[in-house]
Amino acid sequence: MINFFRTLNPLNLFLLVIVAMILRIGVFIELPANLSFEFIEPFAKLLIAIPLENSFTTEENILIAFVISVIQAMLFNRIINKHNLLGKPTFLPGLMYITSSCLLVPFLVLSPALICNFLLIWMIDLFLGIYKQGYAMSIMYDCGIIIGVGTIIYFPFIAMLLTLWICLLIFRAFNWREWVAGILGFATVFFFIAVFYYWNNSLTKFYNIWLPLTSRFPTKFDINIYDYLVLIPIIPIVILGVYHLRGKFFRSFVQVRKSFQLLFFIFLIAVVSFYLKSDHPIYHFLLCIPSGAVLMAYYFLNASKRWFYEGLFVILTGSIIYFQVY
């Protein structure tokens, strides 16, 4: 299976859809109950009234999430190849994106984090292209607006503001205008929200938007370890990916090295920002998938022992299907 996706072949689009369907077979066999989908955060419902909470049946919910994941995988694959992060054109980033997005059942249904992955993939494209830009203020401003829109959809996305400055630290010489531009873009979105709240005599509610930022980082979690055994096959893939990357890291182009550093920080921020949501939803970790998928694709592209890497992928996909059913 991996060898089919190592090359960039139009047939891989069809195979990608087939793989995505197979990896979701468990959730179609045993449909989750009482699915609801909140498109935006409660604070934005005064501004945007989109009653989607109970608009879809369970089957429609899962089917729409499936279509969104496939589209995101194709966009993500195109962006990684566009910036030549893996050294040659391949369909592995798309395959790893689809595989990672099926790891846990909460990943398989509509969620605000799933929608925000469109914005995160767009930001990654802008970030990776900033290295060759002579003028980055407009890009930073656009990214600030993207983060503002993402925060309306899913509040923990606000943590991605940190990626603006991390990107500038990694790719650019210091220019205070570029550092400010991203914040101005974000502030533009919330300026209009504040004005709307003011017009509706609800300005005090606008201040409540920022209360999650004062939340303490949780120290105790109620976790059933058996729900996460499916993640075990990921561990050797990530370790081997880091090993292969480390061996070629300083022989890679400067842009590639900086890009992997940026993706690592995006992954880290995505993990840590889960505490900004009081109920700590598992679907939050969908925001980690783009960064993780690149590292996994890097391993499978550079691995040499076919029986081993194909076996690892079979174990991973088998585990995903098994834990969905049982």
Side-chain angles (χ1 to χ4, degrees):
M1 178 62 72
I2 293 296
N3 266 16
F4 286 116
F5 287 90
R6 278 187 159 188
T7 58
L8 198 62
N9 190 317
L11 180 61
N12 289 336
L13 287 173
F14 175 74
L15 293 175
L16 187 71
V17 174
I18 297 299
V19 171
M21 293 175 63
I22 292 173
L23 291 178
R24 283 169 165 76
I25 192 170
V27 78
F28 278 109
I29 292 174
E30 188 174 348
L31 293 171
N34 301 321
L35 290 181
S36 62
F37 171 55
E38 293 189 2
F39 178 71
I40 56 176
E41 289 287 344
F43 70 80
K45 290 182 179 179
L46 182 65
L47 178 66
I48 308 172
I50 306 179
L52 294 179
E53 286 80 356
N54 298 300
S55 299
F56 306 118
T57 64
T58 300
E59 293 84 355
E60 291 171 343
N61 187 305
I62 295 173
L63 182 60
I64 294 171
F66 162 76
V67 173
I68 288 174
S69 295
V70 171
I71 294 173
Q72 288 177 348
M74 292 189 292
L75 290 173
F76 180 69
N77 194 84
R78 178 180 176 276
I79 288 167
I80 298 303
N81 287 329
K82 170 185 171 183
H83 297 285
N84 198 30
L85 248 64
L86 301 182
K88 68 176 184 179
T90 174
F91 226 91
L92 284 174
L95 177 63
M96 292 302 108
Y97 187 97
I98 282 293
T99 305
S100 301
S101 66
C102 297
L103 281 172
L104 301 170
V105 173
F107 289 2
L108 304 177
V109 299
L110 275 175
S111 65
L114 179 64
I115 303 301
C116 280
N117 264 357
F118 275 117
L119 303 178
L120 184 57
I121 291 169
W122 185 9
M123 284 174 55
I124 289 174
D125 184 26
L126 294 175
F127 285 158
L128 296 183
I130 203 173
Y131 183 74
K132 297 179 180 179
Q133 297 291 328
Y135 189 74
M137 283 181 59
S138 59
I139 294 177
M140 288 293 103
Y141 185 81
D142 292 344
C143 288
I145 291 178
I146 292 170
I147 295 171
V149 173
T151 303
I152 293 174
I153 298 171
Y154 183 57
F155 185 79
F157 200 73
I158 192 175
M160 290 299 160
L161 279 172
L162 296 174
T163 64
L164 299 179
W165 295 329
I166 291 173
C167 175
L168 292 173
L169 279 173
I170 292 174
F171 286 110
R172 310 281 297 179
F174 179 76
N175 183 334
W176 69 269
R177 293 178 179 85
E178 294 175 354
W179 282 63
V180 173
I183 300 301
L184 289 177
F186 179 83
T188 299
V189 175
F190 279 87
F191 171 77
F192 287 109
I193 293 177
V195 170
F196 193 84
Y197 267 72
Y198 177 75
W199 281 345
N200 287 272
N201 297 318
S202 302
L203 195 57
T204 54
K205 294 181 181 179
F206 179 76
Y207 301 133
N208 295 334
I209 295 174
W210 315 105
L211 290 179
L213 296 176
T214 64
S215 301
R216 292 185 178 181
F217 193 86
T219 56
K220 293 182 180 180
F221 303 97
D222 186 16
I223 295 176
N224 184 354
I225 192 66
Y226 296 103
D227 293 338
Y228 303 98
L229 291 177
V230 68
L231 300 178
I232 292 177
I234 291 287
I235 297 173
I237 296 174
V238 171
I239 292 174
L240 290 169
V242 172
Y243 175 78
H244 280 272
L245 181 61
R246 176 181 171 273
K248 298 181 179 181
F249 189 75
F250 292 104
R251 288 180 286 165
S252 304
F253 293 109
V254 173
Q255 181 183 0
V256 174
R257 296 204 302 266
K258 290 178 178 289
S259 298
F260 274 101
Q261 291 173 25
L262 175 63
L263 289 172
F264 168 75
F265 283 109
I266 291 175
F267 179 88
L268 194 61
I269 291 169
V271 170
V272 174
S273 61
F274 83 103
Y275 84 97
L276 293 175
K277 199 74 172 173
S278 58
D279 53 348
H280 311 307
I282 299 302
Y283 62 67
H284 170 87
F285 296 101
L286 279 166
L287 298 177
C288 301
I289 287 177
S291 302
V294 176
L295 183 61
M296 293 169 66
Y298 190 89
Y299 162 67
F300 282 113
L301 185 63
N302 290 280
S304 56
K305 295 182 179 179
R306 182 174 179 179
W307 65 270
F308 185 75
Y309 64 72
E310 292 282 8
L312 267 180
F313 186 70
V314 169
I315 292 172
L316 175 59
T317 54
S319 299
I320 290 172
I321 297 171
Y322 176 83
F323 285 106
Q324 282 179 13
V325 177
Y326 299 101

